[in-house]
Amino acid sequence: MLDPRRLSLLRDVAATGTIAAAAERAGCTAAAASQQLAALERDLGAALLERSARSVRLTTAGRVLADHAGRLLSSLADAERAVRDVAGLRGGTIQVAAFATAGISFVIPALTVFRNRHPDIELRFAELESAEALPEVRAGTIDLAVTHEYTPLSRPDLRGLDQRPLYREPMLLAVPSGLAPAGTAHADLADFAATPWVAALTSTGFQAATEMACRTAGFEPQVDIRVHSYPMLLAMVGAGFGVGLVPQLAAVAQHGVSYLPIARPTGLTRQIYATTRRTDQSPAARALAHYLYDALTLTTPK
């Protein structure tokens, strides 16, 4: 591998015509510069300079290398500037993913702040559920993913990943407004043991979370309706087809739906994380994680 410092000396000899002048540009002595140029010749096994008592001139091989050296050193300088721009949040690309409820409630506001403060960084976004996003982060396709886990369910494979906790949100019971118990602002899940339930598809982790919460309350839920998204779950609840559990961030205003905190603790919560690769401490990802946390403090109940 050619040493860029030696290439720079050769380029400067070609430009100035003397080793002394090239040494002055490099901030070293003429003797040191001469030694470095001799080492470059040994590395290549070719004579690069024709030396005499009063002058030095480049050989044909020296002129060819000096010409390439200019382009190589220019490319190295461009690469260094690009890296410094990324480190200083003045360039580069960040690829972000988030699940829908997080995206709508706080990720989009955080991305807006990021875009306004760092307009030179290219921002790319994909809506992905956590099970899809984690392998993408591990593979390097996504730089930062907003992911979630339901506790106390088993944790996913997090090898090679770092997670910064952003928010732990409680679960609420969504009920048709006509079923909301009079005179109380809380719900005991056992009171809804005989009520039809609306729950997630069995392919999603949330179905297991719903079953676990109901079993903790002493019954098996009667799941008549299975859906893919929280908006559909809430639409079904609002239409009177049953009750369902939703995380706090998904509990948006919906006609015909009331939200009740769970009176008897089930231990079920949803923990939200900013997930990144352990080996990539991206300045842009660190900055975005900070903006995500700030956005959450503005959008979640105190």
Side-chain angles (χ1 to χ4, degrees):
M1 183 70 67
L2 296 176
D3 188 326
R5 294 168 299 177
R6 293 170 181 171
L7 290 176
S8 180
L9 279 170
L10 183 68
R11 178 200 58 188
D12 290 343
V13 169
T16 63
T18 69
I19 292 178
E24 185 176 356
R25 284 189 176 186
C28 64
T29 65
S34 182
Q35 290 174 358
Q36 291 298 314
L37 291 167
L40 181 60
E41 290 178 310
R42 289 194 298 273
D43 289 342
L44 291 169
L48 303 175
L49 301 172
E50 295 179 3
R51 296 173 175 84
S52 66
R54 294 187 177 182
S55 66
V56 63
R57 52 187 281 180
L58 273 66
T59 64
T60 301
R63 289 194 298 272
V64 169
L65 183 57
D67 182 51
H68 281 282
R71 295 194 296 272
L72 289 170
L73 292 168
S74 178
S75 294
L76 285 173
D78 289 344
E80 182 177 354
R81 281 193 296 271
V83 170
R84 292 186 185 278
D85 284 346
V86 169
L89 298 176
R90 296 184 301 273
T93 301
I94 183 170
Q95 305 194 63
V96 184
F99 57 97
T101 52
I104 293 169
S105 59
F106 69 92
V107 174
I108 291 176
L111 292 178
T112 301
V113 172
F114 184 95
R115 180 184 60 186
N116 291 339
R117 294 184 181 178
H118 311 293
D120 296 328
I121 297 179
E122 183 179 355
L123 179 62
R124 299 177 184 174
F125 177 82
E127 180 186 339
L128 295 176
E129 285 300 318
S130 297
E132 303 170 295
L134 291 176
E136 296 290 339
V137 176
R138 186 178 292 109
T141 309
I142 297 296
D143 298 307
L144 182 150
V146 178
T147 61
H148 63 74
E149 298 172 19
Y150 294 100
T151 56
L153 298 182
S154 60
R155 303 201 71 192
D157 181 5
L158 298 173
R159 288 175 295 177
L161 303 177
D162 271 338
Q163 291 191 311
R164 174 180 175 177
L166 294 175
Y167 183 59
R168 184 182 296 274
E169 56 180 331
M171 306 302 296
L172 304 176
L173 184 66
V175 301
S177 295
L179 287 183
T184 179
H186 291 75
D188 188 331
L189 294 188
D191 292 339
F192 297 87
T195 304
W197 282 71
V198 182
L201 297 169
T202 54
S203 59
T204 66
F206 188 51
Q207 168 61 18
T210 299
E211 292 175 352
M212 187 210 71
C214 293
R215 287 168 185 162
T216 301
F219 69 95
E220 287 288 335
Q222 175 192 337
V223 180
D224 291 339
I225 307 290
R226 297 191 184 278
V227 297
H228 179 70
S229 66
Y230 288 119
M232 180 63 78
L233 184 151
L234 295 176
M236 286 291 186
V237 171
F241 284 97
V243 301
L245 289 172
V246 294
Q248 186 180 61
L249 289 179
V252 297
Q254 175 82 23
H255 177 71
V257 177
S258 297
Y259 298 104
L260 300 173
I262 300 170
R264 182 167 56 180
T266 63
L268 180 62
T269 59
R270 185 168 78 165
Q271 176 67 61
I272 299 175
Y273 299 95
T275 302
T276 57
R277 287 185 303 286
R278 187 169 299 156
T279 56
D280 183 12
Q281 301 301 316
S282 163
R286 289 199 301 271
L288 179 56
H290 177 74
Y291 301 147
L292 289 168
Y293 184 82
D294 287 348
L296 267 167
T297 62
L298 297 174
T299 58
T300 54
K302 303 298 185 287

